Amino acid sequence: MKSFEYIVDGGDNGEIAQTIFNNKPAGTRAFGSKEELINDSEGIVHSICYTPAKPINIGINIKIEASTSQSQTWKNEIAKALKDKFDDIQSIGTPVKGYNYYTVLTMFNEISDILEIQFYNVEETTDIKYYTTYDIGIREIAKLDVKNINITIG
């Protein structure tokens, strides 16, 4: 029997299992770390498995030069735009790449130069490592909270 694995980000366990059951090819078995029992139209119970994506909480450090001094509100607008872009392009197994965020920063005319964009794992509290590309495993998904976006002018 052939098998496959679904990696899932969020959702109701029962709905996830039912969706997998309704869409899986006949004669295949879904495997993963979570198991749900589903009744088919004839009342036969089937075990449906899937794997929840492991969230990796990412932080971003950005160093820019700006034409004039800027307010915290301005920095918050940049952080929101970066978060929106992040949510739009990140998916399960997708690495976080700095070049994806340059276009967001260039929308702000006050920014005269982008000196640095670095990513880090928020959960690391000692020996923090910074990356221009943060690799995400095939069963992981990067998550970003605006409070973890640090913008430095200088």
Side-chain angles (χ1 to χ4, degrees), residues 56 58-64 77-91 94-108 111 113-120 131-134 136 141-146 149-151:
I56 304 296
I58 298 293
I60 304 176
N61 288 334
I62 297 173
K63 188 171 183 181
I64 59 173
E77 289 173 13
I78 294 174
K80 183 184 180 322
L82 289 165
K83 168 80 167 111
D84 290 346
K85 178 71 170 181
F86 188 95
D87 290 345
D88 186 47
I89 64 175
Q90 290 306 132
S91 60
T94 305
V96 184
K97 297 182 177 185
Y99 67 78
N100 289 324
Y101 302 95
Y102 279 88
T103 55
V104 173
L105 295 171
T106 59
M107 294 184 326
F108 293 85
I111 296 176
D113 197 7
I114 302 165
L115 304 174
E116 189 173 68
I117 298 177
Q118 292 184 325
F119 304 100
Y120 64 96
Y131 306 91
T132 54
T133 295
Y134 195 100
I136 299 296
I141 186 164
K143 300 288 186 174
L144 177 66
D145 188 316
V146 291
I149 299 174
N150 309 303
I151 300 170

Side-chain angles (χ1 to χ4, degrees), residues 21 36-40 42-47:
F21 180 77
E36 293 290 323
L37 300 177
I38 299 294
N39 293 323
D40 67 15
E42 296 176 10
I44 299 171
V45 177
H46 299 269
S47 171

